[in-house]
Amino acid sequence: MTGLIEDTGNTENTENTENTEPRTAAGRPAPAPRRRKPLGVRAYKAFRVAALIAVVIFLVAPLFWMLLASLKTNVDIYDSGKSFFFTPTGENYANVLQRNNYFVFILNSFWVAFVSTALSLVLGVPAAYAMSRFTMHRSALVVLMARVIPGVSLLVPWYYVFSNLKMVGGFEVLILSHMFVSLPLIVYIMMSYFDSLPLELEESAQVDGLTPIGAFRRITLPLSVAGMATAGILSFIFSWNNFMFALVLSGSKTKTLPVAIFDFVSYASIDWGGLMAAATVVTIPIMIIALFTQKYIVSGMTAGATKG
Amino acid sequence: MSVLTPPRSAQSEPPSGRNAGRAPGARENFSAWANRHRKWLFAAPAMIFVGVLIIFPLAWTLYLSLTDSQGSVRAASEFVGLENYLTVLSDGERFWPAVGRTLTFTGVALVCEVVLGMCIALLLWRPFRGEKWVRVAILLPLVATPVAVGMMWRLIFDPNIGFVNQLLGMVGIPPQPWLSGQDTALGTTIFMDVWQWTPMVVLILLAGLTSLSEEPDEAARMDGANAFQRFFLITLPLMMPTVIVAILLRGIDALKTFDILYATKGKGGGSFHEVETLNVYAYGLSFDYNQYGLSSAVLILFFMIIIGSMWLLTMRKKAVSK
């Protein structure tokens, strides 16, 4: 949303963001020589630890509960005496993966997320570069509008056009619709990344005889790998989690995981164990990715937030 | 983007002129042309892609909102002028309650998320042992699939077998209906939204806090200000622009919340439309009832609400930044 939020002339704040380094570097080692802290400080420390533990429990406990339920039989789920102590079973997972064919949905989700992210990077990175370097804020606004528009208003016309083209139920439509989410995200993140990249490197490369496009390709792009990783990972996650577009535009062959989970409850009575196993199956891959790419996700989520 | 550091490998590639050896000719001409027009060459494909996918459908939605199209978009429809808008705007049964719910959902969720988010961000601000694990915990709800999250809460809030009522039972509080209650459903979905998205606000505010300079805070400390005074008189005013960014980013998504509502309550936001927000209402009109004319009118009005609230916030941010 850079274009919407900030004015054109705010570049001096980039220095501010560099303050992150000293915090972790200088803050942790070598504490001041030990002195007995006053009571207020110690009370605050105890409070802080307690509060942090509460926060962690609040955030993690529901997920833990989902995981537990996915390992219970339906009889155990209904038995409040067996909330935490029960004999775990893998039956739900076997059910979900084999009988309901979740492997296909996993592959579908993965394929759609991967291709839409890759194509969005190809389109979005050069666009973000141009918009950042030439401060095309009005053009950026056009792309970022996509983030603001309610998806439903696009779905009716899309559905009509694509069903006329006999494309509904195919991967192409799903990928196109997911790109619609990914592209603005990637442009947004990459714009703030390019904004923070110094111009001097490109300029000196051009002095050394590279064309502007050559400088982009051989200097700026390699320097932007971290930014592209950030944008790509976030776009992958958003595509993986996307529900509404797939709900309308996917067919029986292209169904993605969120839709598959949703279909799970349309049966007469809810098979809680199976449902929780399905919910776990969809969240686990994305959480594993998140664990390994933590810092990228954080920088992507906060992109452009501390400027202006 | 402060966390990112450019990879080292880039320096190993010397920017020496590879172009020098190239044969002149058409290729050179094209390259010169491309370089001259790189601004639009780079930006155009993405803009055309988004433009085609947005402007055309939006124009179509606008057109549909002026017709009595229903059943099938292909079926003949008549131009009815502003009739759909009049119908919608005088509809006190579905439309206005949906507007109310949308604003309640967004407003309450945003207030909770910003207040809670600020508290958690302040807790995390100064380094501590185990920081890494807390940060992982914060990330988990954020990346979880909303539909799966909805299903998870459905089990936890289930009136009969849910863990929440079990917990309440232990301290002697009678079981609550939560999602299945007419009055409690919307609040419960707000709670889910707060659980999932407070972490995002935390991340944004934390990035803002770490980019603050320490001097004003330090000076106030020297002058004997206590922690509360320092927060409300120094830190909070300095953080206002970031807070508004967080509200903007979060607000847009909160207004458009669909996944958890549809996943937990299904079509029409439940049998009494307890959680039917504008987005759920418009989706239902379009895809469950095929009332394209009406749904388009709702969508256009909804879009205007979104744009309007964003505009207000952007104005506010400009005022605060100065």
Side-chain angles (χ1 to χ4, degrees):
Chain A
M1 307 275 63
T2 334
L4 293 174
I5 292 159
E6 74 175 302
D7 299 342
T8 357
N10 283 327
T11 36
E12 72 271 7
N13 269 28
T14 27
E15 290 128 5
N16 252 352
T17 34
E18 274 152 34
N19 276 355
T20 358
E21 282 309 323
R23 189 176 84 90
T24 33
R28 212 167 300 172
R34 267 191 181 274
R35 233 181 307 139
R36 197 158 173 78
K37 297 261 171 60
L39 189 67
V41 174
R42 270 184 294 155
Y44 172 72
K45 278 205 162 159
F47 164 76
R48 191 184 184 205
V49 169
L52 282 170
I53 291 174
V55 167
V56 170
I57 290 178
F58 172 68
L59 295 174
V60 176
L63 293 165
F64 184 64
W65 188 253
M66 171 174 84
L67 187 68
L68 281 187
S70 75
L71 296 168
K72 291 179 192 171
T73 63
N74 274 324
V75 179
D76 284 352
I77 288 179
Y78 278 87
D79 186 347
S80 61
K82 292 191 174 167
S83 289
F84 294 103
F85 305 102
F86 59 94
T87 333
T89 163
E91 203 184 317
N92 294 319
Y93 286 95
N95 246 339
V96 161
L97 291 174
Q98 279 170 8
R99 203 137 45 92
N100 291 320
N101 236 344
Y102 265 58
F103 282 119
V104 178
F105 306 140
I106 294 175
L107 274 181
N108 286 350
S109 271
F110 186 83
W111 178 243
V112 171
F114 179 75
V115 177
S116 63
T117 298
L119 290 177
S120 300
L121 278 172
V122 170
L123 282 182
V125 171
Y129 176 77
M131 287 168 184
S132 160
R133 285 295 181 257
F134 298 100
T135 49
M136 304 161 73
H137 282 281
R138 226 165 287 131
S139 311
L141 206 63
V142 172
V143 175
L144 297 175
M145 270 302 264
R147 235 177 120 167
V148 179
I149 288 186
V152 189
S153 62
L154 308 169
L155 270 172
V156 175
W158 284 358
Y159 187 80
Y160 174 66
V161 170
F162 290 129
S163 64
N164 268 357
L165 294 170
K166 302 257 183 303
M167 279 168 72
V168 170
F171 279 113
E172 300 87 348
V173 186
L174 263 190
I175 289 169
L176 272 182
S177 69
H178 282 215
M179 277 178 72
F180 188 76
V181 182
S182 311
L183 189 61
L185 188 75
I186 286 175
V187 168
Y188 175 59
I189 292 175
M190 288 312 291
M191 265 182 78
S192 69
Y193 189 81
F194 286 132
D195 282 346
S196 70
L197 217 57
L199 266 173
E200 285 78 21
L201 284 168
E202 278 169 53
E203 279 165 359
S204 63
Q206 288 185 35
V207 171
D208 287 349
L210 276 181
T211 59
I213 291 184
F216 167 70
R217 212 163 49 95
R218 323 188 101 253
I219 307 296
T220 314
L221 267 193
L223 280 174
S224 316
V225 172
M228 288 190 281
T230 301
I233 291 162
L234 270 192
S235 139
F236 186 91
I237 293 176
F238 276 64
S239 169
W240 179 276
N241 287 347
N242 186 297
F243 172 57
M244 193 206 272
F245 287 161
L247 186 62
V248 174
L249 296 173
S250 70
S252 52
K253 279 199 194 114
T254 58
K255 201 188 276 183
T256 56
L257 277 172
V259 184
I261 294 183
F262 183 71
D263 286 349
F264 216 98
V265 286
S266 47
Y267 306 142
S269 73
I270 298 179
D271 165 16
W272 283 114
L275 183 61
M276 290 304 116
T280 311
V281 166
V282 64
T283 36
I284 287 283
I286 215 72
M287 285 188 176
I288 291 175
I289 294 179
L291 284 186
F292 286 107
T293 56
Q294 202 182 342
K295 70 168 191 188
Y296 295 111
I297 295 178
V298 172
S299 66
M301 287 278 176
T302 56
T306 52
K307 292 187 303 176
Chain B
M1 305 307 296
S2 46
V3 191
L4 300 177
T5 43
R8 215 134 287 149
S9 67
Q11 269 95 2
S12 64
E13 208 172 27
S16 60
R18 267 265 295 269
N19 275 3
R22 218 176 257 168
R27 206 189 157 129
E28 211 59 25
N29 282 338
F30 172 74
S31 146
W33 177 87
N35 272 307
R36 231 174 316 118
H37 296 283
R38 67 187 186 285
K39 174 175 167 184
W40 290 105
L41 202 66
F42 277 13
M47 290 179 64
I48 293 171
F49 177 84
V50 174
V52 167
L53 281 183
I54 285 191
I55 290 166
F56 157 73
L58 211 59
W60 194 334
T61 304
L62 198 62
Y63 163 75
L64 279 178
S65 76
L66 302 171
T67 70
D68 64 349
S69 166
Q70 55 172 306
S72 156
V73 196
R74 251 168 283 195
S77 58
E78 258 175 57
F79 190 80
V80 293
L82 293 175
E83 205 183 293
N84 286 324
Y85 290 94
L86 292 178
T87 317
V88 167
L89 287 174
S90 60
D91 174 12
E93 228 168 279
R94 296 289 288 277
F95 177 74
W96 287 112
V99 173
R101 281 184 216 108
T102 309
L103 297 180
T104 312
F105 184 93
T106 308
V108 176
L110 273 179
V111 169
C112 295
E113 282 160 22
V114 170
V115 172
L116 253 179
M118 182 59 98
C119 294
I120 298 176
L122 287 172
L123 279 175
L124 290 171
W125 189 7
R126 308 290 180 208
F128 58 95
R129 228 186 306 152
E131 195 175 349
K132 225 172 101 190
W133 296 106
V134 178
R135 281 169 183 270
V136 168
I138 282 182
L139 219 53
L140 292 181
L142 203 56
V143 297
T145 311
V147 179
V149 167
M151 298 303 173
M152 173 186 93
W153 286 114
R154 249 174 108 149
L155 173 64
I156 297 175
F157 277 121
D158 188 280
N160 301 314
I161 59 171
F163 188 63
V164 174
N165 274 349
Q166 249 184 68
L167 269 185
L168 290 183
M170 281 178 211
V171 287
I173 300 173
Q176 303 293 316
W178 303 119
L179 279 169
S180 39
Q182 215 173 318
D183 306 321
T184 47
L186 190 64
T188 314
T189 53
I190 291 175
F191 176 85
M192 298 175 190
D193 194 78
V194 171
W195 177 81
Q196 180 151 38
W197 295 113
T198 300
M200 178 168 151
V201 179
V202 172
L203 291 182
I204 293 176
L205 294 182
L206 198 55
L209 283 174
T210 39
S211 72
L212 287 184
S213 98
E214 307 241 332
E215 277 148 32
D217 192 61
E218 212 45 53
R221 195 197 300 265
M222 292 299 174
D223 290 344
N226 67 32
F228 283 99
Q229 287 169 327
R230 290 204 314 273
F231 173 72
F232 283 106
L233 299 175
I234 311 285
T235 312
L236 191 58
L238 286 173
M239 282 290 289
M240 260 343 252
T242 314
V243 170
I244 292 181
V245 171
I247 294 179
L248 249 176
L249 289 176
R250 197 52 217 111
I252 295 167
D253 291 338
L255 281 169
K256 297 194 297 175
T257 303
F258 176 81
D259 296 13
I260 57 160
L261 301 177
Y262 208 71
T264 49
K265 296 296 289 178
K267 286 176 187 174
S271 34
F272 300 101
H273 312 300
E274 307 93 297
V275 300
E276 188 175 65
T277 59
L278 278 174
N279 215 12
V280 176
Y281 183 44
Y283 180 89
L285 278 178
S286 301
F287 293 103
D288 296 334
Y289 299 101
N290 303 327
Q291 297 275 356
Y292 299 116
L294 275 184
S295 81
S296 301
V298 171
L299 282 168
I300 297 291
L301 292 170
F302 181 29
F303 192 45
M304 281 158 60
I305 293 179
I306 298 181
I307 297 285
S309 38
M310 282 187 56
W311 181 77
L312 279 179
L313 273 174
T314 317
M315 288 294 112
R316 184 88 200 105
K317 172 150 194 274
K318 282 203 179 125
V320 168
S321 304
K322 268 169 201 159

